[in-house]
Amino acid sequence: MELLTGGFYEPILAILPDADKHGQIQRLTQYLAREFGGRARGMWLAERVWEPHLPKALREAGAEYVLVDDSHFALAGRDPETLGGYYVTEEQGHTLAVFPISQRLRYVIPFAEVDKTLAYLDARRAGVTALTVVDDGEKFGAWPGTYDHVYRDGWLDRFFDRLAATPWVRMTTFAHVVDTVAASGRLYLPTA
């Protein structure tokens, strides 16, 4: 498990002045360090709102990487079904790693059958260093019908059992990927 920083009050950082961006990120980063004893290196970007001017401000606030939807990458001309690992972007010499969150994985987890989810992962694993799935916790019990599906009907237990029993699936953290895997390329994301 890896804790991510972000804006303390979940603000849309792109519309804040840089000093406020820094304050929001530093406040959450300090809170996480105080409450959990670790340094958050990566960042959750509220609502995944991206502007090309963010890398400099995010790096200055201490973020090494951020997560955004793969649709952002599609707007930059990349096919979401070929994305993997992370990419490097920059602004004024300040580099930032960017992980593409797989929309397809967000849709199959937890709504597709476990076998179909693993089949999709199996089909995608060739030549891909990592796939990213990050999603709303509400899908795991708060949305209508999801509590029964995920817990009472056992989807989550079956899913984790299958992940643990599948030798080619390796769960990891963003920090580990950044530390051990080369970037998949350089990319400049448009406003999204």
Side-chain angles (χ1 to χ4, degrees), residues 76-96:
R78 300 292 176 101
D79 177 5
E81 287 299 310
T82 65
L83 296 172
Y86 67 94
Y87 296 78
V88 174
T89 193
E90 64 87 28
E91 183 202 8
Q92 300 180 44
H94 294 269
T95 60
L96 182 72

Side-chain angles (χ1 to χ4, degrees), residues 39-139:
R39 181 176 77 87
R41 295 172 52 192
M43 186 179 146
W44 173 252
L45 190 62
E47 301 301 325
R48 283 100 57 221
V49 174
W50 178 263
E51 288 282 348
H53 71 271
L54 284 175
K56 180 177 184 271
L58 300 184
R59 281 299 288 189
E60 288 177 343
E64 297 175 34
Y65 44 92
V66 68
L67 322 168
V68 298
D69 294 336
D70 58 10
S71 60
H72 294 58
F73 290 75
L75 292 170
R78 300 292 176 101
D79 177 5
E81 287 299 310
T82 65
L83 296 172
Y86 67 94
Y87 296 78
V88 174
T89 193
E90 64 87 28
E91 183 202 8
Q92 300 180 44
H94 294 269
T95 60
L96 182 72
V98 184
F99 284 85
I101 301 169
S102 171
Q103 181 182 46
R104 179 77 184 271
L105 280 176
R106 284 189 9 250
Y107 287 1
V108 298
I109 298 172
F111 300 113
E113 289 302 317
V114 171
D115 288 341
K116 289 184 180 183
T117 303
L118 269 286
Y120 175 73
L121 289 172
D122 190 26
R124 285 294 320 275
R125 71 184 171 125
V128 175
T129 57
L131 289 175
T132 299
V133 61
V134 177
D135 209 342
D136 300 316
E138 291 91 350
K139 286 175 34 178

Side-chain angles (χ1 to χ4, degrees), residues 139-156 158:
K139 286 175 34 178
F140 296 90
W143 286 1
T146 57
Y147 182 84
D148 288 341
H149 171 67
V150 171
Y151 300 105
R152 287 195 180 129
D153 298 340
W155 186 94
L156 193 61
R158 288 192 310 277

Side-chain angles (χ1 to χ4, degrees), residues 23-39:
Q24 283 281 323
I25 295 166
Q26 289 170 351
R27 183 168 183 182
L28 183 55
T29 301
Q30 291 166 358
Y31 174 84
L32 294 173
R34 184 176 63 252
E35 296 297 319
F36 299 100
R39 181 176 77 87

